[in-house]
Amino acid sequence: MDRTVKILMIDDHPITLEGYKNILISLQDSNSNLVIETASNCEDAFWKIQKSTEENNQYDVIFLDISLPPSESLKIFSGEDLGLKIREISSSSKIIILTMYNENFRIYNILKNISPEGLLIKSDVSPKEFFRAFSEVLNNKLYYSHTVKVLMRKQFANDIVLDELDRNILYQLSKGVMTKDLTHFIPLSLAAIEKRKRHMKEILEVNGGDLLLVERAKELGFL
Amino acid sequence: MKTFYFLCLIWISLFLGCKKDPIGKNIANNLENNQIQELLFLSKSTDCTEDISNYLSQAYVAAQTIENDSTRIKSYLNISLQAYKNNDTILFPRINEEARKLALLTSDSVSLAETYWDLGGYSKRNSDYVVGFDAYLNASKIYKQLGDDLKSARMKINMAVIQTAVKDYLGSEQNTFEALSILKSLNNNRYAYNCYNNLGIIYNGLGDYQKAIAFHNKALGSQFQFSSNPYLIAITLNNLGVVYENKKDFPQAIEYYSKALEDTVLSENHPLLYAKLIDNRAYAYMKTENLESTKSFYKALKIRENLGDHQGIIVNKRHLAEYFLKEDSISAKKYALDAKELAVSTNNTDELLKSLIFLATLDEDLKSASLQHYVQLSDSLSESERKTRNKFARIRFETDEFIAENEALTKKNFWIITGASSILILLGLLYIIRIERNRNRQLILKQKQQLANEEIYNLLIDSQSKLDEGKEKEKKRISKELHDGILSKFFGVRLNLELLNNSISKDSIVQREKYILELKQLEKEIRTVSHQLNDDMFSTENSFKTIIKELLNSQKDLGSFKYKLKADDNIVWDEISSKIKINVYRIIQEGLHNIIKYSEAKFVEINFTNGNKTLKIEIKDDGIGFNTNATTDGIGLTNMKSRIKELNGKLDINSNNLGSNLIMYIPLYNN
């Protein structure tokens, strides 16, 4: 198969980028031609993607890290923002997200907002798995690493529906934010937040304080 | 029978033995009282002067043993009254004086006045006019003080009568009118007679017969109107007769005397007055050439001689001498000489003068001697009368002066008391205002201090929360660094090493070497993060030090000094109470303030040392120092001291011209 695959790897650690490259190079088919480019921050990445779109030569696969040096001027503050931008300006690109974050909330958000073709938690990743993910995505399939799959199964297993705001409340609480300060992070009034908390405690069958609620939410995979 | 008698004796002795208890005493007093009453009764029921004296002496002896003062005074007064009536010249003065002493001693004004009254009457009767006048004056004063105006007025009448007797007519007239006005204000007519009668006598003495007649008539009128005492009426009629006699209107005089003598029982009840009246009428008859009177002279003389009325006898004999003047000069001379001698022996100078003048007209031989005697006597008499009058005047004047002085003193006292009390009140008010103001000031000061303390407390809390915030930030930063940095690098290294794991090519060995180096690098990074974490912990423990540092930073430019701040690492600031921290902060603030203001220091050092359960704080500077022996500390040092005292701490001060060193020791646990 004489095919050129255009790849963009975005990560702020050179050694990681080097690892990705080494894996792809050592495990690739001999007849496939990989064009690999790298970017170590949001801005660099954005301009490369923008350029590729302008040249009508969009990347086939983009490896994206979530925690990246932000770009104030472009208002791209994280890999998540960058992912959304990619979906916007480079619609043909397949996105594989590799992230250190393993909190359910963040994973859930990534799946929901970007819906990447591949989502791997870095601690799950081995060279083989990395390559498999690359191959699957390249063949128009989805690839999720083990942790992601466990989370998704948990999500499906219970029919409790918590919307994004509920999850955000839980997430902030788990970070130790006081209820009275939640209004700084969530676009709701304090009364509304209290109401939602009460509601969540009801459906999660929690009899006690916020700490128990957070624990229960973790158990059920909302966090 | 004998045993019964014996028992009775014991019984009685038992009674006597009980004398000490108050009931027994009363019984004893009652017994004495009864005895006295009995003796007084006995004295009243006899006419024998000696017996009366005897009874009264016994009563007096009995009265002396009465223990109750007021009862004793009463007994004295009763006895002395009887003695006075009996004209007992030995017993009366003694009891009277003793009663007065006791009354003075027990401040018994009523009894005191009574003793004076008695003394007045006694002295008057014995012609001791000066003493009598003084006694009545005293009595009058006391009664006035007691508010008994009637008795006070009666005493004035008595004084006036004495004054009349010594021919102090003007003084007498004044006293009489005073008494009269008091009596009128009291609407009391009973004693008006005495006043009018006295006034009649006064004007008669002054030769103002019209007025004398008018007042005697008034006296008579008051008698007819109110009391109708036949004796007093007779006296006034006699007095009227005397006035007309002096006016040489003898028929009129005879009329009055006769009118008085219409009272048929007079000769029985008041023989002396009766004698006086018939004598006077006989004299008047004689003057009208009616010689019917001879019998009457003798009759009067006989009555008077029987009753021992010496004064009456003198007048009577003088009248007789005059009667015999024309016919029997020898008898006349005899009567005149008798009258003269009697006048001399009874000290009646008035009559003596009259008899001397008569003798001078009677006998050429006696003329010059009698006249000479007359002139001498007249001079000395008028002299002595003048002296008496002066004495009265002086007594009155002194009394008046005393009263005026008293009034002035009272007035003065009033002003002094008013002035003093108003000054006292003023001072009191000022004192209260001062105290209130001080308290207010203190409260304000306390409030200020409270505010300052609160401020520092907030500062502490602020800095704590700032620190907490910083800590939180630092935690996040480290977490991020671990997560995004080190963990990511680890991931990269692992990924690469895993890839190289199966390869044994020379190239891969070199590659692996590179990643192992990378791991070493990561070790270093982790160590760094670990150190940072530790530093973070370190800085939280030094929160108070940070505050002091901030304080020093804010002050150092003001005082243009450099500073060094040291604190032992093992001081656990979190365990030290806010009270101590607040006060220590304040103390250091005061210290710095002083340093900036006075010391001209260029370098300040503050040390916190951890002693054995004490915190040692040292504030050193290289300024010009201050006088540690100054008697009064400045406000700054006083505040520092009071704060240290509040913390039960100790302060050592060393200061010389090379700098000052303040060392404080604050106990950490008993605050």
Side-chain angles (χ1 to χ4, degrees):
Chain A
M1 193 209 270
D2 198 7
R3 180 185 160 197
T4 303
V5 182
K6 196 176 175 198
I7 299 165
L8 179 63
M9 296 173 171
I10 310 167
D11 199 298
D12 54 340
H13 292 98
I15 199 159
T16 306
L17 292 174
E18 202 178 294
Y20 294 164
K21 254 198 258 175
N22 286 340
I23 292 167
L24 290 188
I25 290 164
S26 61
L27 297 181
Q28 68 167 314
D29 287 342
S30 51
N31 51 358
S32 65
N33 182 21
L34 300 181
V35 179
I36 300 174
E37 287 179 34
T38 62
S40 60
N41 57 56
C42 289
E43 187 158 354
D44 195 12
F46 176 80
W47 289 122
K48 280 190 167 148
I49 293 161
Q50 179 76 15
K51 194 181 158 216
S52 75
T53 301
E54 278 165 13
E55 287 172 357
N56 205 15
N57 187 14
Q58 288 182 341
Y59 295 104
D60 297 300
V61 179
I62 297 173
F63 292 98
L64 179 63
D65 192 6
I66 292 297
S67 83
L68 285 172
S71 165
E72 294 286 336
S73 57
L74 295 170
K75 295 203 166 26
I76 299 170
F77 300 105
S78 70
E80 244 177 304
D81 291 343
L82 190 57
L84 289 171
K85 275 270 186 267
I86 294 168
R87 284 289 186 239
E88 200 181 298
I89 59 173
S90 180
S91 54
S92 68
S93 301
K94 295 187 171 74
I95 300 174
I96 298 174
I97 291 176
L98 292 117
T99 177
M100 215 50 144
Y101 296 118
N102 59 358
E103 296 105 324
N104 291 342
F105 173 73
R106 302 206 59 159
I107 294 168
Y108 176 88
N109 272 349
I110 290 166
L111 284 171
K112 189 158 184 287
N113 296 335
I114 306 172
S115 189
E117 281 75 11
L119 177 56
L120 293 93
I121 306 303
K122 278 184 177 172
S123 54
D124 290 346
V125 172
S126 64
K128 272 183 194 157
E129 194 167 0
F130 179 84
F131 190 74
R132 196 179 321 136
F134 172 68
S135 308
E136 298 279 299
V137 168
L138 207 56
N139 291 325
N140 297 322
K141 286 181 186 166
L142 300 175
Y143 189 92
Y144 300 131
S145 76
H146 177 71
T147 307
V148 180
K149 279 179 189 159
V150 169
L151 170 78
M152 287 171 79
R153 199 169 59 235
K154 266 189 189 166
Q155 286 285 307
F156 285 120
N158 65 57
D159 24 299
I160 297 162
V161 183
L162 295 183
D163 70 10
E164 206 173 336
L165 286 167
D166 289 334
R167 284 161 195 272
N168 200 357
I169 290 169
L170 287 174
Y171 175 65
Q172 300 295 350
L173 284 175
S174 77
K175 286 206 310 188
V177 177
M178 309 288 264
T179 303
K180 65 179 168 64
D181 296 328
L182 281 177
T183 46
H184 301 309
F185 305 98
I186 292 151
L188 285 174
S189 73
L190 190 60
I193 289 170
E194 292 278 9
K195 198 177 164 193
R196 275 168 181 272
K197 260 171 61 183
R198 232 177 8 256
H199 180 68
M200 280 194 283
K201 279 178 187 171
E202 223 167 82
I203 58 172
L204 297 184
E205 294 168 341
V206 174
N207 232 337
D210 294 350
L211 211 68
L212 284 174
L213 177 65
V214 170
E215 265 175 32
R216 179 77 179 138
K218 273 182 184 163
E219 245 174 66
L220 294 174
F222 293 113
L223 277 170
Chain B
M1 193 65 199
K2 262 187 181 172
T3 36
F4 172 75
Y5 196 72
F6 183 66
L7 279 173
C8 269
L9 270 177
I10 290 175
W11 191 238
I12 289 164
S13 63
L14 272 174
F15 244 106
L16 291 171
C18 290
K19 229 181 176 177
K20 274 177 190 163
D21 78 304
I23 297 167
K25 243 188 220 170
N26 276 344
I27 289 167
N29 273 342
N30 280 338
L31 282 172
E32 278 153 3
N33 251 344
N34 287 338
Q35 196 192 345
I36 292 163
Q37 293 302 327
E38 214 170 291
L39 286 165
L40 283 171
F41 180 75
L42 283 170
S43 75
K44 281 175 197 167
S45 53
T46 182
D47 286 335
C48 177
T49 320
E50 271 174 40
D51 282 352
I52 294 171
S53 287
N54 202 11
Y55 289 135
L56 292 179
S57 298
Q58 279 180 45
Y60 174 52
V61 171
Q64 277 174 319
T65 61
I66 295 173
E67 286 188 32
N68 186 311
D69 286 337
S70 63
T71 321
R72 196 163 61 194
I73 289 182
K74 267 178 200 136
S75 298
Y76 282 163
L77 286 170
N78 282 334
I79 298 162
S80 76
L81 186 64
Q82 290 310 312
Y84 164 66
K85 280 180 180 166
N86 194 36
N87 207 4
D88 190 331
T89 51
I90 299 161
L91 201 55
F92 175 82
R94 229 170 105 188
I95 303 179
N96 183 264
E97 197 182 340
E98 194 152 340
R100 183 159 43 254
K101 272 184 193 161
L102 197 59
L104 279 169
L105 205 70
T106 56
S107 305
D108 183 351
S109 307
V110 177
S111 300
L112 186 65
E114 263 176 68
T115 64
Y116 278 127
W117 191 346
D118 289 350
L119 181 63
Y122 173 83
S123 306
K124 185 175 100 179
R125 195 169 57 197
N126 292 303
S127 306
D128 195 350
Y129 296 127
V130 177
V131 173
F133 182 82
D134 199 12
Y136 281 135
L137 184 59
N138 280 330
S140 172
K141 268 187 331 204
I142 295 166
Y143 281 128
K144 196 178 175 186
Q145 268 171 14
L146 289 169
D148 191 342
D149 289 339
L150 178 62
K151 280 185 179 159
S152 176
R154 285 176 68 185
M155 295 306 113
K156 271 183 192 295
I157 296 169
N158 286 331
M159 284 155 67
V161 170
I162 287 180
Q163 283 169 310
T164 307
V166 299
K167 296 188 178 141
D168 177 9
Y169 294 126
L170 291 176
S172 180
E173 185 188 18
Q174 194 190 337
N175 268 331
T176 312
F177 276 118
E178 276 176 19
L180 205 54
S181 83
I182 294 170
L183 290 173
K184 263 185 190 155
S185 75
L186 292 172
N187 222 352
N188 187 312
N189 296 303
R190 198 171 154 214
Y191 300 99
Y193 168 81
N194 304 52
C195 297
Y196 294 138
N197 187 50
N198 191 38
L199 285 168
I201 296 167
I202 290 167
Y203 292 122
N204 180 41
L206 289 170
D208 189 345
Y209 303 124
Q210 281 311 30
K211 260 192 182 172
I213 290 164
F215 276 110
H216 278 309
N217 278 325
K218 253 190 169 175
L220 210 54
S222 82
Q223 272 305 312
F224 287 137
Q225 204 176 341
F226 300 109
S227 52
S228 259
N229 184 334
Y231 174 64
L232 296 179
I233 291 168
I235 285 179
T236 303
L237 289 170
N238 175 57
N239 287 343
L240 275 165
V242 171
V243 176
Y244 280 109
E245 197 181 296
N246 289 340
K247 262 182 90 180
K248 314 276 185 220
D249 186 350
F250 298 109
Q252 194 72 34
I254 291 166
E255 206 170 297
Y256 278 111
Y257 294 139
S258 300
K259 208 173 184 181
L261 287 167
E262 277 169 16
D263 185 354
T264 48
V265 288
L266 194 66
S267 61
E268 238 173 87
N269 291 344
H270 303 286
L272 283 179
L273 180 59
Y274 176 74
K276 187 184 257 180
L277 277 165
I278 57 173
D279 175 35
N280 283 348
R281 190 172 62 172
Y283 184 74
Y285 277 139
M286 183 194 82
K287 286 284 184 189
T288 54
E289 310 293 328
N290 186 341
L291 299 179
E292 292 286 312
S293 53
T294 334
K295 259 190 210 163
S296 296
F297 281 136
Y298 289 124
K299 193 179 173 189
L301 186 61
K302 201 175 174 193
I303 294 168
R304 282 169 162 167
E305 275 171 348
N306 277 342
L307 293 174
D309 177 12
H310 300 299
Q311 307 309 318
I313 293 166
I314 298 168
V315 176
N316 219 153
K317 287 199 169 173
R318 186 165 48 78
H319 285 167
L320 273 169
E322 209 172 316
Y323 173 73
F324 285 117
L325 184 63
K326 284 171 188 166
E327 304 157 17
D328 183 354
S329 62
I330 298 168
S331 292
K333 191 176 171 186
K334 178 184 152 263
Y335 279 121
L337 283 172
D338 275 0
K340 183 196 148 196
E341 254 154 58
L342 205 54
V344 170
S345 69
T346 59
N347 237 342
N348 188 336
T349 41
D350 226 12
E351 282 302 325
L352 181 56
L353 284 172
K354 280 179 182 163
S355 32
L356 281 174
I357 248 183
F358 183 76
L359 282 169
T361 56
L362 185 70
D363 194 329
E364 283 300 315
D365 298 342
L366 289 168
K367 197 176 182 178
S368 63
S370 294
L371 278 178
Q372 207 180 341
H373 193 178
Y374 175 84
V375 172
Q376 222 174 0
L377 195 65
S378 168
D379 282 355
S380 78
L381 187 65
S382 57
E383 174 76 4
S384 88
E385 276 174 352
R386 197 169 49 84
K387 269 185 184 161
T388 310
R389 276 201 296 274
N390 285 348
K391 222 174 245 171
F392 288 171
R394 203 160 52 238
I395 290 168
R396 275 187 71 97
F397 174 72
E398 275 169 4
T399 308
D400 288 347
E401 199 178 42
F402 180 74
I403 288 167
E405 211 173 285
N406 233 357
E407 263 169 25
L409 269 177
T410 312
K411 222 173 202 177
K412 210 168 152 190
N413 271 350
F414 170 78
W415 284 116
I416 288 171
I417 287 167
T418 312
S421 47
S422 44
I423 285 170
L424 265 178
I425 288 168
L426 206 74
L427 283 175
L429 279 174
L430 280 175
Y431 183 67
I432 289 168
I433 288 170
R434 221 185 120 97
I435 283 181
E436 280 302 312
R437 196 180 285 170
N438 259 350
R439 195 183 291 167
N440 229 10
R441 211 179 288 159
Q442 240 162 19
L443 275 178
I444 289 169
L445 204 76
K446 224 174 205 176
Q447 206 176 358
K448 265 187 189 165
Q449 219 158 33
Q450 196 87 29
L451 269 175
N453 283 349
E454 220 166 275
E455 207 178 296
I456 297 166
Y457 190 69
N458 285 338
L459 207 70
L460 277 171
I461 288 177
D462 244 30
S463 92
Q464 190 60 46
S465 67
K466 246 188 225 164
L467 264 164
D468 283 349
E469 207 176 295
K471 226 158 79 178
E472 195 63 35
K473 260 189 194 161
E474 188 64 7
K475 230 164 81 182
K476 272 189 185 157
R477 191 189 63 76
I478 287 166
S479 156
K480 202 171 153 68
E481 199 169 310
L482 278 173
H483 195 271
D484 295 355
I486 294 170
L487 222 50
S488 292
K489 278 184 193 158
F490 261 120
F491 168 68
V493 173
R494 175 173 65 81
L495 214 59
N496 281 300
L497 282 176
E498 238 179 307
L499 192 66
L500 293 171
N501 204 18
N502 299 324
S503 171
I504 45 160
S505 65
K506 209 178 176 186
D507 186 40
S508 65
I509 290 167
V510 176
Q511 287 272 325
R512 274 201 286 269
E513 197 72 30
K514 179 183 151 199
Y515 293 121
I516 286 163
L517 268 175
E518 192 68 32
L519 279 176
K520 270 188 187 167
Q521 192 59 41
L522 276 168
E523 272 174 38
K524 268 189 204 162
E525 275 185 42
I526 288 171
R527 195 174 294 125
T528 312
V529 170
S530 162
H531 272 279
Q532 280 172 347
L533 272 173
N534 215 4
D535 275 352
D536 196 32
M537 288 303 285
F538 185 75
S539 78
T540 53
E541 286 194 357
N542 267 309
S543 59
F544 186 68
K545 191 182 165 189
T546 319
I547 292 171
I548 299 298
K549 195 167 185 170
E550 270 173 27
L551 176 66
L552 280 162
N553 278 333
S554 70
Q555 302 289 301
K556 71 171 186 203
D557 294 331
L558 268 174
S560 61
F561 59 75
K562 285 187 175 146
Y563 73 86
K564 194 166 135 192
L565 174 64
K566 275 201 303 194
D568 278 359
D569 289 344
N570 57 357
I571 298 171
V572 188
W573 291 106
D574 284 349
E575 283 179 12
I576 295 172
S577 72
S578 317
K579 186 184 166 192
I580 293 179
K581 281 196 265 197
I582 286 167
N583 279 300
V584 167
Y585 182 91
R586 267 283 171 215
I587 289 164
I588 291 172
Q589 205 176 30
E590 294 281 4
L592 288 176
H593 186 76
N594 282 346
I595 287 168
I596 291 165
K597 214 165 172 187
Y598 308 111
S599 78
E600 302 169 15
K602 291 287 158 235
F603 183 75
V604 177
E605 186 177 336
I606 292 177
N607 293 322
F608 293 107
T609 318
N610 198 3
N612 184 24
K613 291 176 184 171
T614 36
L615 179 65
K616 180 182 166 193
I617 305 149
E618 217 176 338
I619 308 175
K620 274 198 252 182
D621 70 68
D622 60 350
I624 57 170
F626 60 93
N627 182 9
T628 54
N629 294 322
T631 42
T632 50
D633 296 328
I635 253 195
L637 203 55
T638 310
N639 277 346
M640 285 168 89
K641 279 181 176 169
S642 86
R643 280 179 187 279
I644 289 164
K645 201 177 157 197
E646 202 176 316
L647 298 174
N648 297 322
K650 212 180 84 180
L651 171 69
D652 288 340
I653 304 173
N654 298 307
S655 184
N656 54 38
N657 54 2
L658 295 175
S660 306
N661 190 7
L662 274 66
I663 306 171
M664 288 148 271
Y665 300 90
I666 312 289
L668 288 180
Y669 296 108
N670 56 352
N671 273 306

